Amino acid sequence: MPAEPLHEEPSARRRQARRRRRRPAAWIVLAAAAAVGLIIWGIAALSGIGRPASVEATAYAKGDCFADFDATAASGDRVPCTQAHSAQLVGVEKAADSEAYPGRDALEQRAGQLCKASEVKLPQDISALKQRSAYPSEDGWKSGDRRMDCYIVSTNGNTLTTSFLP
């Protein structure tokens, strides 16, 4: 006996047809979302969002955070303090232009006092943090550098993700 052809009820055929029509719509929505994501990513990449900004040391400002910080470098990679960084500038003092060079020891002591006077909020575990100061050399002083800086630096590299300033 030959098998009888299966007949679907009209409502089942309609449901199946609707499902077939929905599939392309889902792919269109998914493709549009992917395109929007790529556009946003492209804009962020072109604008430099999320990338460190190389800044001359003379332009550092109190509160700046730096990735891969090197206190002896002429410039540093400034990043938002919410991104991984290794140091933050927490104190800045500038001597008067008319002030005579006080000597290395006096500048070191003065920069140390700047660090002690800087208001910071530190985490409970400070075992991987060091306070560092920077001050001009005699040649730097002669060329007009009068700036002293105080930094908090991680000894574990780019592990900091918050600001130390209140």
Side-chain angles (χ1 to χ4, degrees):
M1 178 151 119
E4 289 184 32
L6 295 176
H7 295 287
E8 294 180 21
E9 294 185 25
S11 61
R13 271 188 263 144
R14 276 188 238 127
R15 280 194 301 259
Q16 202 173 36
R18 270 190 245 133
R19 276 190 225 125
R20 279 191 217 116
R21 276 185 253 136
R22 280 188 227 151
R23 286 185 194 144
W27 283 107
I28 291 170
V29 169
L30 183 61
V36 168
L38 283 172
I39 290 169
I40 292 171
W41 175 80
I43 291 170
L46 290 174
S47 66
I49 295 172
R51 280 190 283 154
S54 184
V55 178
E56 294 295 317
T58 56
Y60 292 173
K62 182 177 177 178
D64 284 350
C65 291
F66 301 94
D68 302 316
F69 183 69
D70 177 0
T72 63
S75 64
D77 290 337
R78 182 172 53 200
V79 297
C81 292
T82 54
Q83 286 186 6
H85 59 279
S86 60
Q88 182 175 14
L89 178 58
V90 297
V92 176
E93 180 183 325
K94 189 169 185 215
D97 289 340
S98 60
E99 188 176 333
Y101 180 68
R104 183 180 185 278
D105 292 341
L107 279 177
E108 183 176 13
Q109 187 175 28
R110 193 164 162 184
Q113 290 300 320
L114 170 65
C115 285
K116 287 179 184 172
S118 298
E119 289 187 40
V120 294
K121 57 177 184 177
L122 297 174
Q124 283 192 318
D125 181 9
I126 59 170
S127 61
L129 299 177
K130 299 289 182 205
Q131 220 171 29
R132 301 277 188 245
S133 57
Y135 47 89
S137 65
E138 186 171 4
D139 288 340
W141 191 277
K142 286 177 185 175
S143 65
D145 183 7
R146 302 284 192 278
R147 181 180 167 136
M148 289 152 278
D149 293 333
C150 178
Y151 300 91
I152 295 180
V153 180
S154 168
T155 59
N156 293 333
N158 294 321
T159 57
L160 307 172
T161 55
T162 60
S163 174
F164 294 116
L165 296 180

